[in-house]
Amino acid sequence: MSDGPAPTDFASANARLAELEQALIADVASAQDAAAVDQVRAKYLGRHGLLQALWQVLPQMPPDEKPQFGQRLNTLKTQWTQAVEARRMALAAPAVDGPMLDLTLPGHPPAIGHRHPITQVIDQVLGVFERLGFAVIEGPEIETAFHNFDALNIPPDHPSREAFDTFFVNTTPETLLRSHTSPVQVRYLEAHADDPRPFRIVVPGRVYRPDALDASHCFQFHQIEGLVVEPGVTFADLKGLLAAFVQAVFGPATRLRFRPHFFPFTEPSAEADISCIFCRGHGCRVCGQKGWLEILGAGMVHPRVFAATRWPTASRGLAFGLGVERIAMLRYGIDDIRLFFENDVRFLHQF
Ligand code: DAH
């Protein structure tokens, strides 16, 4: 770099700038840390730096060369600043061997979820009944008191209403969260009362009860309702159907027994147990030494349900309702219903 007197014409000033640029590039390249970069920046670009000094040359220049020279100084200021700062960033970046980006590495696989264990059990149970000729029907979770109670032969002041107590959404008209899937029986019958033909339906869905939360109770859970209306259908058909179902879901060695029970919407009514799938009926902790596990309620459709839905009261039907969480807990050996709703992926990943 020549140190002679400052150039006063455009050509020599440009030559001086070219020299400065070469020197800057060399200085930038040899700067090994941030402090050295700072020094380079001050030397060339600082308020008293080499580039700034060249502005002093401007007044001596022929007038027609001034604008171009001024522009050049501005452009170089930007370019040199970029060069200095690029060096600063390169020094700050962690040292890497070879190319930074290895395009041959496999990509990150997207996290694909899977169906919730409750959904899996619902799908399996529905599959069994679909193969037995059932159609899958759904109904609303917000129900009227008529569908949830009255039409199912649960009158306002009857004690059985308490067994199906629920959360109320509105008082006039009275709407509530359904406490079982049985109201969909009422909806289906109502919808087909003008053309009453034989049918088989299963109804999966979420239901609600004002139960305090513990290992076996939750304010929400799932049920699957079944309803068959066919001429001449009997309690024997009910038992045969449910035996086929429990054997498909719990294995061919599973036995089924009925215990007399009361449900307002069926007569006669029963609760059904399966032989304990853990001890094969010998008695264990899960079945409370009984050898049997309760899994559903069932019965023959009460004539008052047909009457409330304007079906011929001489119609014959069988119905059943089962709790999905209960089946899932037995199937997978889960001892706390809350696990299904906590959305802990460490739990959910296991199914
Ligand atoms: N809805 C009853 C409950 O939630 C279950 C039930 C029992 C459904 C008997 C039925 C039935 O269809 O016939 O406890």
Side-chain angles (χ1 to χ4, degrees):
M1 199 190 330
S2 72
D3 290 334
T8 52
D9 65 286
F10 190 53
S12 52
N14 267 338
R16 167 88 175 131
L17 280 175
E19 267 177 29
L20 277 183
E21 188 155 63
Q22 290 308 312
L24 171 95
I25 288 168
D27 281 355
V28 164
S30 59
Q32 291 306 324
D33 55 31
V37 171
D38 284 339
Q39 274 174 21
V40 174
R41 191 176 170 136
K43 176 175 172 192
Y44 293 89
L45 296 155
R47 205 127 50 91
H48 306 293
L50 294 169
L51 189 61
Q52 192 64 29
L54 280 167
W55 283 102
Q56 259 101 79
V57 171
L58 205 64
Q60 284 102 54
M61 281 203 157
D64 55 338
E65 290 174 358
K66 281 184 189 171
Q68 227 189 320
F69 188 68
Q71 237 171 42
R72 179 111 209 267
L73 289 180
N74 280 326
T75 311
L76 285 179
K77 181 163 193 184
T78 314
Q79 287 174 0
W80 292 6
T81 307
Q82 279 168 2
V84 170
E85 293 311 313
R87 178 67 183 164
R88 191 193 303 283
M89 277 171 60
L91 288 171
V96 278
D97 288 333
M100 300 255 289
L101 185 63
D102 184 350
L103 295 174
T104 65
L105 285 173
H108 297 291
I112 298 175
H114 63 76
R115 289 174 307 150
H116 192 281
I118 292 299
T119 310
Q120 293 183 34
V121 170
I122 290 175
D123 288 350
Q124 193 205 358
V125 171
L126 295 181
V128 171
F129 284 108
E130 279 177 306
R131 287 190 286 282
L132 291 166
F134 284 70
V136 177
I137 300 292
E138 286 183 309
E141 288 178 26
I142 296 181
E143 262 300 2
T144 65
F146 175 77
H147 292 90
N148 197 71
F149 299 125
D150 306 73
L152 288 167
N153 194 31
I154 312 174
D157 299 318
H158 196 276
S160 64
R161 193 130 168 167
E162 205 171 313
F164 297 101
D165 193 18
T166 183
F167 301 101
F168 287 79
V169 176
N170 233 324
T171 43
T172 43
E174 207 169 45
T175 47
L176 45 84
L177 297 181
R178 66 179 177 195
S179 51
H180 49 172
T181 42
S182 302
V184 188
Q185 291 191 26
V186 177
R187 290 196 172 266
Y188 191 89
L189 289 169
E190 277 179 325
H192 297 85
D194 291 336
D195 186 18
R197 298 173 191 221
F199 67 85
R200 301 176 177 194
I201 57 167
V202 270
V203 184
R206 192 170 301 162
V207 302
Y208 303 86
R209 302 253 173 113
D211 285 344
L213 200 58
D214 65 25
S216 52
H217 294 86
C218 187
F219 46 83
Q220 62 171 10
F221 53 99
H222 296 77
Q223 288 188 334
I224 295 176
E225 189 83 10
L227 178 62
V228 174
V229 176
E230 284 171 16
V233 74
T234 67
F235 203 83
D237 295 316
L238 175 63
K239 202 163 180 183
L241 188 64
L242 294 177
F245 157 69
V246 298
Q247 279 163 15
V249 172
F250 294 105
T254 315
R255 282 166 295 139
L256 178 73
R257 82 170 179 188
F258 275 34
R259 275 179 293 105
H261 196 76
F262 170 75
F263 292 108
F265 31 90
T266 42
E267 180 60 33
S269 305
E271 271 185 348
D273 303 333
I274 55 168
S275 50
C276 179
I277 52 177
F278 299 101
C279 63
R280 295 178 176 274
H282 296 301
C284 69
R285 202 173 50 84
V286 179
C287 61
Q289 308 306 326
K290 293 195 203 84
W292 296 94
L293 298 164
E294 180 199 326
I295 60 152
L296 54 83
M300 302 305 289
V301 178
H302 199 292
R304 286 200 193 141
V305 176
F306 287 124
T309 53
R310 296 179 297 106
W311 267 62
T313 41
S315 304
R316 296 185 64 88
L318 62 82
F320 55 89
L322 53 90
V324 178
E325 279 75 5
R326 172 108 178 118
I327 292 182
M329 288 168 84
L330 293 175
R331 270 275 303 274
Y332 299 123
I334 296 164
D335 59 6
D336 195 324
I337 195 171
R338 291 169 288 198
L339 289 165
F340 290 123
F341 303 110
E342 284 169 349
N343 274 342
D344 185 335
V345 288
R346 291 168 303 179
F347 168 74
L348 296 173
H349 272 324
Q350 300 173 64
F351 306 99

